[in-house]
Amino acid sequence: MSAEGNEPEKDRKAPFWSDIDLRAVAPFVALILLLVLGALANPNFIGLNNLANVATRSAFIAIIAVGATFVISAGDLDLSVGSMLAFVASLMILFMNSGAIADPALMLTAAVVMAMVVGALCGLANGLITTVGRIEPFIATLGTMGIYRGLTIWLSQGGAITLKSPEIQQIYGPAYFGSILGIPVPIVVILAVTLIAAFVLYRTRYGRHVVAVGSNSDVARYSGIAVNRVRTIAFMIQGLCVAVAVLLYVPRLGSTSATTGILWELQAITAVVVGGTALKGGAGRVWGTICGAFILELVGNIMLLSNFISEYLIATIQGSIIIIAMLVQRSLTRKV
Amino acid sequence: MLKKLMGVAFVAAALTGTAYAQEAKTIGVSIPAADHGWTAGVVYHAERVAALVQKEYPDAKVIVKTSPDPASQANAIQDLAVQGLDALVILPTDPDPLVNAIKQVKDKGTFVTIVDRAPSVNDSTVRDLYVAGNNPALGRVAGEYIKDNTPDAKVVVIRGLPIPIDQQRQDGFDEGIKGSNVEVLDRQFGNWNRDDAFKVMQDYLTKYPQIDVVWCQDDDMAVGVLQAIEQAKRTDIKYVVAGAGSKDMIKKVMDGDKMIPVDILYPPAMVGTAIELTVAALYDKIPVHGTYTLDATLVTKDNAANYYFPDSPF
């Protein structure tokens, strides 16, 4: 699944593994190492329930990070996703509370559509400010981060926005807590989103354009790629991914508050980078990103399940693991 | 003693309110902007009590101003002072950086009441009155309730953030369970946040096959805790003790929810106590100087209705 699949063929006599891009494999090796470490730390760790919990609750960051993979591959950055999630989720709950449609199932369907549209529009706004407004994506999305967060706090008056209708809650609950063929729904959604994203990124012309723009936007422009359109669509994909994460977030607690999604943008970026996508753009690894999101969630899980480490040090260990992961990745690139 | 003082203040306020007209007074109320549940409650109660006071004393002017951070709160205090204040009620976003701004107001002879967050030097040079909840007692009352009701309980604790308030609550809790068989299995940080509390609770449920009671210190975190227990379909957990006094948890106590039998007050409404006492000092010349500490009241099914504000955002 690596993006460098079409490199010139190497010497026939080289062993088969020299063709494997170690950078793409590294996150998966790290994941397996973590699983072993976890199993040693606590016998309950490797249980299906625990792993399903961890995978399920990593869904928000994982799905947002899939979107971030597009934005980052195209050489941009989106800092607004945490606030955007809180904003879209708040709007969705308020819409369902408004009682505009009497039938709960119909209401829910309308709310889902609304969330997707609002998410895409938020992404479009980020994209247009960056490309048409020609503002650095870091600054543009720093601005919208404040805007979406402020709107959320305003909507909730600083408190919580809670889904009122018990009927909708009952229909909607399984979207987070239910399972399909024994697999929790959020995990199914992660896989579906990643499959679609991988197809778009690796198999379509648009995906190749994203990587081309991220590698060198000037060269891409001279090659006739509509650079700004590619970047704007990447931001819209990010917005859609945030909306999908919202669809899973709302049924979990049935409520949002002013603190919903704080610092999730940094977690998403971390997942993308740990997954092997270069922060400077030009290479995207969607499956690595998912792996990165699992790794982030697993580290916290293992810390809590093991009794060795003071609760004050959890952030220190998490930070160290991220840095070590990056150092390992870097040393691998040099060898290749 | 303090309760008596409060009683006197209220009676006096009620008497004077109907008895005769007063001279115009301006009271500035400076509070943090609503940025999470508890501060949202503070804003709600400040506005609610300001309206009550103005109804009772038609020529009183109560100005409520919210600020997101210490720097803008310092500006807000200056803006208020320019309008000519008789009293300032302030719940500081962060007390120490604001001490100088508060002192400037006080040096002009304005009556100053500090609420909830005390500066390191908290005496009559900085303020006239200090009104606060009781953090150690919030923990102690929770501990005592668990000790009295489930003396052999295995308890998991979800803490807030690693800051002094959290430590005071933890120490109070340990004092509360002292001399019992209550066993604390684990303490981890849930950052006073629903999503984080949900995760921590999920991991506790994996780690410990038997948990009797959860103490999670804060009503917002209780939302995540309850959801995690429900998802795991665990039946060993007898109940959850939280605190603060959010309308959702008070409602559960009122309705006799088995998982939330009690709540412990650290009420955002304390800003209202501060405003009322300040008004009493201004209009009725009642001595209210000193420290007024609210109880960490145990909210049960019987008294829950007293603390239920369905219109509050918290």
Side-chain angles (χ1 to χ4, degrees), chain A residues 44 249 252 255 301 307, chain B residues 194-195 202-203 206-207 227:
Chain A
N44 290 336
Y249 182 85
R252 184 169 83 174
S255 138
N301 179 251
N307 285 323
Chain B
R194 298 152 178 237
D195 295 312
Q202 271 195 335
D203 288 347
T206 304
K207 193 172 175 183
Q227 198 62 262

Side-chain angles (χ1 to χ4, degrees), chain A:
Chain A
M1 287 297 167
S2 101
E4 281 103 301
N6 38 17
E7 279 173 2
E9 233 173 293
K10 289 181 185 154
D11 185 8
R12 290 247 171 230
K13 279 168 200 161
F16 74 97
W17 43 261
S18 69
D19 284 346
I20 298 174
D21 179 0
L22 287 175
R23 259 190 88 172
V25 177
F28 296 92
V29 175
L31 184 64
I32 291 165
L33 282 178
L34 267 180
L35 288 172
V36 173
L37 187 73
L40 294 174
N42 189 306
N44 290 336
F45 169 81
I46 215 77
L48 259 187
N49 265 337
N50 185 52
L51 292 181
N53 273 347
V54 174
T56 305
R57 71 198 190 195
S58 72
F60 312 129
I61 298 294
I63 293 168
I64 293 173
V66 167
T69 313
F70 281 85
V71 173
I72 293 174
S73 301
D76 289 324
L77 200 61
D78 190 340
L79 294 176
S80 71
V81 288
S83 308
M84 194 197 291
L85 175 123
F87 175 58
V88 178
S90 301
L91 276 187
M92 185 182 178
I93 295 178
L94 283 176
F95 178 61
M96 290 192 284
N97 282 351
S98 72
I101 301 168
D103 181 55
L106 209 61
M107 181 75 196
L108 181 58
T109 318
V112 167
V113 173
M114 190 213 73
M116 297 298 288
V117 171
V118 174
L121 287 177
C122 286
L124 179 66
N126 280 340
L128 291 179
I129 296 169
T130 311
T131 56
V132 178
R134 275 184 290 168
I135 297 174
E136 280 289 305
F138 184 90
I139 301 299
T141 57
L142 198 63
T144 52
M145 172 168 92
I147 294 172
Y148 300 140
R149 177 65 58 197
L151 287 171
T152 308
I153 296 174
W154 176 67
L155 287 173
S156 66
Q157 293 179 275
I161 299 177
T162 306
L163 182 56
K164 283 185 192 140
S165 155
E167 291 99 357
I168 295 183
Q169 229 155 2
Q170 207 172 358
I171 310 174
Y172 199 6
Y176 184 83
F177 294 106
S179 52
I180 298 170
L181 302 173
I183 305 167
V185 177
I187 300 180
V188 177
V189 176
I190 298 177
L191 290 177
V193 168
T194 317
L195 273 172
I196 296 169
F199 177 78
V200 172
L201 193 56
Y202 304 139
R203 298 271 177 265
T204 67
R205 193 164 57 153
Y206 173 73
R208 285 192 291 279
H209 285 178
V210 167
V211 176
V213 168
S215 312
N216 191 325
S217 63
D218 287 336
V219 172
R221 188 172 292 114
Y222 297 143
S223 323
I225 296 174
V227 171
N228 280 350
R229 197 173 65 203
V230 169
R231 291 169 69 197
T232 308
I233 293 174
F235 276 107
M236 284 182 77
I237 291 174
Q238 171 74 86
L240 282 172
C241 286
V242 168
V244 173
V246 164
L247 299 184
L248 293 177
Y249 182 85
V250 170
R252 184 169 83 174
L253 299 175
S255 138
T256 58
S257 71
T259 55
T260 295
I262 279 188
L263 293 183
W264 284 12
E265 53 280 341
L266 292 186
Q267 287 193 46
I269 293 169
T270 313
V272 172
V273 175
V274 168
T277 299
L279 196 51
K280 60 183 194 300
R285 293 191 174 85
V286 180
W287 293 102
T289 294
I290 294 299
C291 193
F294 286 160
I295 289 175
L296 287 185
E297 205 64 65
L298 265 182
V299 172
N301 179 251
I302 294 172
M303 293 295 131
L304 212 154
L305 289 183
S306 67
N307 285 323
F308 313 129
I309 294 146
S310 157
E311 71 256 37
Y312 295 104
L313 282 176
I314 288 182
T316 310
I317 306 282
Q318 277 172 332
S320 313
I321 288 183
I322 291 164
I323 291 173
I324 292 167
M326 295 315 299
L327 287 174
V328 171
Q329 289 235 350
R330 174 157 300 174
S331 66
L332 289 178
T333 5
R334 282 204 189 116
K335 267 182 230 156
V336 173

Side-chain angles (χ1 to χ4, degrees), chain B residues 135-178:
Chain B
N135 280 306
L138 179 108
R140 200 182 59 240
V141 171
E144 282 166 356
Y145 180 83
I146 295 170
K147 179 166 82 175
D148 295 343
N149 289 276
T150 41
D152 300 312
K154 289 187 195 311
V155 181
V156 290
V157 175
I158 302 182
R159 311 181 56 161
L161 286 166
I163 58 173
I165 295 175
D166 176 76
Q167 193 57 50
Q168 287 175 3
R169 293 177 175 182
Q170 297 299 317
D171 294 344
F173 182 80
D174 289 337
E175 201 188 305
I177 58 171
K178 211 176 255 171

Side-chain angles (χ1 to χ4, degrees), chain B residues 59 73 80 91 101 108-109 120-121 123 134 142 163 181 224 228 244 274 281 300:
Chain B
D59 47 3
Q73 194 169 20
L80 284 169
L91 200 162
K108 282 186 200 151
S120 345
V121 178
D123 57 26
N134 194 335
I163 58 173
N181 280 332
T300 61

Side-chain angles (χ1 to χ4, degrees), chain B residues 126-265:
Chain B
V126 192
R127 47 72 181 158
D128 295 275
L129 173 66
Y130 173 58
V131 175
N134 194 335
N135 280 306
L138 179 108
R140 200 182 59 240
V141 171
E144 282 166 356
Y145 180 83
I146 295 170
K147 179 166 82 175
D148 295 343
N149 289 276
T150 41
D152 300 312
K154 289 187 195 311
V155 181
V156 290
V157 175
I158 302 182
R159 311 181 56 161
L161 286 166
I163 58 173
I165 295 175
D166 176 76
Q167 193 57 50
Q168 287 175 3
R169 293 177 175 182
Q170 297 299 317
D171 294 344
F173 182 80
D174 289 337
E175 201 188 305
I177 58 171
K178 211 176 255 171
S180 71
N181 280 332
V182 174
E183 183 194 351
V184 176
L185 296 173
D186 215 329
R187 304 165 191 267
Q188 299 286 344
F189 290 103
N191 308 325
W192 285 312
N193 174 314
R194 298 152 178 237
D195 295 312
D196 292 351
F198 177 83
K199 287 185 195 178
V200 171
M201 193 63 213
Q202 271 195 335
D203 288 347
Y204 279 161
L205 291 167
T206 304
K207 193 172 175 183
Y208 301 104
Q210 165 86 36
I211 298 170
D212 298 312
V213 177
V214 183
W215 178 51
C216 69
Q217 212 199 71
D218 175 82
D219 289 345
D220 249 359
M221 294 200 290
V223 177
V225 169
L226 291 175
Q227 198 62 262
I229 295 173
E230 196 183 309
Q231 184 207 15
K233 299 197 175 63
R234 285 273 290 263
T235 49
D236 49 326
I237 295 112
K238 298 191 177 80
Y239 60 91
V240 178
V241 183
S246 81
K247 63 175 177 187
D248 294 336
M249 289 305 141
I250 299 280
K251 184 84 186 7
K252 281 182 191 288
V253 175
M254 269 167 81
D255 295 346
D257 189 315
K258 269 196 186 134
M259 288 305 277
I260 305 281
V262 291
D263 198 45
I264 294 155
L265 279 193

